[in-house]
Amino acid sequence: MLYKLRWIIASLITLIAVTIFAFLIWFLWAARPADPDAKQPISYRLENGTSVDEIARRLEEEGIIKNAAAFNLFVTFRGLRSGLKAGTYELNPNETMNDIAQQLAEGRIA
């Protein structure tokens, strides 16, 4: 009985560790530039009152970021969710997700 319990606990710990590792790999991939070779910035208009979900979706659709879900998580954990400022931005797909989020949070408009 004790052997079986140890096996179950070891299996659960392994599963959790593999899941965390896979999440980190995915997130690190998603945080990288969408197009490292991009030369031209993309004009992006952020309207006042736009939700972070909508911002992330549009950034992904326009090829500025790799993954909307990762951007959503990133701005949430960085505490930027309510601080993204409206304006027209020149965002370059060769920038990291952190760089893009900082531009939107600081209001560095074109």
Side-chain angles (χ1 to χ4, degrees), residues 26-36 38 40-42 44 51-75 84 91-104:
W26 167 78
F27 188 80
L28 290 172
W29 167 82
R32 297 187 61 182
D35 182 2
Q40 295 294 325
I42 297 171
Y44 176 80
S51 72
V52 173
D53 293 335
E54 178 66 18
I55 294 167
R57 184 187 63 74
R58 283 191 44 227
L59 288 171
E60 182 180 13
E61 281 178 0
E62 294 185 28
I64 298 169
I65 61 171
K66 281 187 175 183
N67 188 279
F71 184 83
N72 226 326
L73 284 171
F74 184 78
V75 297
L84 303 181
L91 301 175
N92 202 319
N94 69 9
E95 297 176 316
T96 65
M97 186 168 47
N98 180 52
D99 295 335
I100 290 168
Q102 282 302 122
Q103 285 181 31
L104 298 176

